[in-house]
């Protein structure tokens, strides 16, 4: 068994047709169209995200059935995935054309509610895009060493599902409350303030435990599982290279995965790494251009996420 996640050289064909450049970027005219930011539609997406989240909590309380609570718990993990995807978009400053609005929404409406210091995330994430698997790669520990054994992947996911990963991250983040840097303290206290506001809202509505059961605990558990499965499907086992096809996986996007695992088109990740300035709404179109040009070949793409996860956990015990 070949213990590599890298595509073979036969799959790395040069693009043809004149619309995609050798490095995967679109030609200037097409690139300009792909990079247009639909601010009004993105505002509706943020509003829709919060509407869905509130509706899940209301339905769970109203129906008050064990099956409903379990379903709501899982869907709240998805809610964190949605907020993270929108925050990621704001970190790239492609959520709104107005930079001040983009950053305000990125912090207060999608970042801080999901326990993410958006500006610090942006700085680290830009290092990730400058050179995947480079010396400043912030998430290297998530990606290297694949494929691993199935037992190893199960252990990682069990740590995520039982909250140990989330608690470890929160303990590290809590140290920011007393950090020597004023900006770090201010952001950490802001995140804590937003969480207090969410808790107070639940309390005033007569259901304070909803914050714990349908926000805090899903963040520690369901969201951590989703985040790992998505992250390793993006870059697990790849290598540093100027060819993005050697740094980033490509997976065929199916409705269930887009609903639960990779909302807001974040699953078209190879296209995103070819040009990080393309807003999320245009990534499917960009990916179609990559396929039409031959930059992405059928053999390069995994047919489903489970197929990729099986490859990621294919190392013999």
């Amino acid at each position: 068994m070949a213990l590599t996640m890298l595509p073979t050289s036969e799959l790395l064909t040069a693009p043809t047709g004149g619309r995609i450049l050798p490095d995967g970027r679109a030609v200037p005219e097409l690139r300009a169209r792909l990079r247009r930011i639909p601010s009004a539609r993105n505002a509706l997406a943020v509003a829709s995200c919060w509407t869905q989240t509130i509706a899940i909590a209301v339905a769970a309380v109203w129906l008050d059935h064990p099956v409903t609570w379990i379903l709501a718990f899982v869907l709240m993990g998805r809610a964190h995935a949605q907020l993270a995807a929108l925050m990621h978009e704001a970190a790239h400053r492609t959520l709104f054309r107005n930079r001040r609005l983009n950053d305000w929404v990125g912090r207060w409406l999608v970042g801080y509610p999901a326990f993410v210091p958006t500006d610090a995330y942006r700085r680290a994430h830009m290092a990730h895009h400058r050179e995947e698997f480079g010396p400043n790669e912030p998430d290297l520990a998530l990606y290297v060493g694949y494929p691993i054994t199935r037992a190893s992947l199960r252990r990682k996911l069990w740590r995520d599902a039982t909250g140990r990963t989330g608690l470890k991250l929160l303990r590290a983040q809590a140290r920011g409350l007393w950090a020597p840097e004023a900006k770090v303290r201010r952001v950490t206290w802001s995140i804590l303030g937003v969480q207090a506001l969410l808790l107070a809202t639940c309390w005033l509505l007569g259901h304070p435990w909803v914050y714990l059961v349908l926000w805090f605990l899903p963040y520690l558990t369901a969201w951590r599982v989703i985040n790992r499965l998505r992250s390793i499907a993006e870059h697990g086992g790849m290598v540093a290279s100027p060819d993005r096809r050697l740094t980033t996986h490509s997976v065929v996007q199916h409705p269930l995965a887009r609903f639960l695992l990779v909302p807001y088109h974040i699953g078209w990740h190879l296209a995103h790494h070819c040009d990080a300035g393309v807003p999320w709404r245009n990534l499917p179109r960009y990916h179609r251009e990559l396929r039409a040009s031959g930059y992405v070949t059928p053999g390069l793409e995994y047919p489903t996420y489970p197929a990729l996860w099986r490859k990621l956990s294919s190392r013999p015990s």
Side-chain angles (χ1 to χ4, degrees):
M1 181 181 295
L3 297 180
T4 178
M5 301 298 301
L6 301 178
T8 60
S9 59
E10 292 79 9
L11 298 176
L12 304 179
T13 57
T16 59
R19 292 170 65 85
I20 298 296
L21 299 173
D23 62 0
R25 290 182 301 164
V27 295
E29 182 183 356
L30 175 59
R31 192 183 192 205
R33 293 201 299 271
L34 290 171
R35 283 187 159 215
R36 290 173 185 164
I37 301 172
S39 297
R41 294 174 66 194
N42 286 351
L44 290 176
V46 175
S48 172
C49 177
W50 275 108
T51 300
Q52 293 173 58
T53 302
I54 294 168
I56 292 167
V58 170
V61 172
W62 182 49
L63 295 173
D64 196 20
H65 188 278
V67 173
T68 307
W69 283 106
I70 293 171
L71 181 61
F73 191 95
V74 173
L75 288 177
M76 280 300 188
R78 171 185 178 258
H80 279 285
Q82 288 180 294
L83 289 175
L86 291 172
M87 183 279 305
H88 168 264
E89 197 73 9
H92 280 278
R93 291 201 166 104
T94 52
L95 191 59
F96 295 100
R97 288 189 296 272
N98 183 289
R99 178 170 291 196
R100 182 174 296 181
L101 176 63
N102 180 91
D103 290 353
W104 187 88
V105 172
R107 296 181 189 111
W108 295 98
L109 295 188
V110 296
Y112 295 172
F115 298 90
V116 180
T118 306
D119 295 283
Y121 172 87
R122 176 185 288 127
R123 290 191 296 273
H125 192 64
M126 292 306 105
H128 166 65
H129 274 277
R130 280 192 295 272
E131 187 180 0
E132 302 94 333
F133 297 90
N136 298 314
E137 170 66 76
D139 297 319
L140 195 60
L142 263 177
Y143 308 142
V144 297
Y146 286 89
I148 58 176
T149 66
R150 290 188 180 182
S152 178
L153 182 58
R154 282 196 298 267
R155 287 194 297 270
K156 294 177 188 297
L157 294 175
W158 181 246
R159 289 196 298 269
D160 297 335
T162 53
R164 284 179 286 174
T165 303
L167 286 173
K168 178 181 177 181
L169 294 172
L170 275 185
R171 283 195 296 269
Q173 189 172 12
R175 289 196 286 270
L177 295 171
W178 301 276
E181 300 87 357
K183 185 175 182 179
V184 174
R185 293 197 305 272
R186 183 170 63 252
V187 170
T188 308
W189 280 104
S190 295
I191 292 172
L192 186 61
V194 170
Q195 301 307 316
L197 178 61
L198 293 174
L199 174 59
T201 301
C202 294
W203 196 294
L204 291 173
L205 293 173
H207 304 287
W209 41 269
V210 167
Y211 172 82
L212 175 66
V213 175
L214 290 184
W215 192 251
F216 186 66
L217 289 180
Y219 165 79
L220 289 179
T221 55
W223 159 234
R224 304 271 36 118
V225 171
I226 290 173
N227 185 57
R228 185 178 299 276
L229 289 174
R230 176 191 55 77
S231 296
I232 63 176
E234 291 173 351
H235 303 286
M238 304 301 266
V239 297
S241 172
D243 190 330
R244 296 295 189 253
R245 295 169 294 184
L246 295 176
T247 71
T248 309
H249 294 294
S250 184
V251 187
V252 175
Q253 298 294 291
H254 296 286
L256 181 60
R258 290 172 56 190
F259 175 79
L260 188 62
L261 183 76
V262 283
Y264 300 115
H265 299 341
I266 202 169
W268 276 277
H269 209 65
L270 178 56
H272 172 63
H273 272 263
C274 286
D275 189 343
V278 174
W280 66 271
R281 290 187 183 276
N282 295 335
L283 288 177
R285 180 185 172 188
Y286 187 15
H287 185 80
R288 289 193 296 270
E289 293 282 354
L290 293 175
R291 292 195 69 177
S293 73
Y295 183 84
V296 173
T297 56
L300 186 74
E301 292 192 282
Y302 287 87
T304 63
Y305 280 97
L308 176 50
W309 295 329
R310 284 193 293 271
K311 184 70 178 295
L312 286 161
S313 57
S314 61
R315 182 179 293 273
S317 299

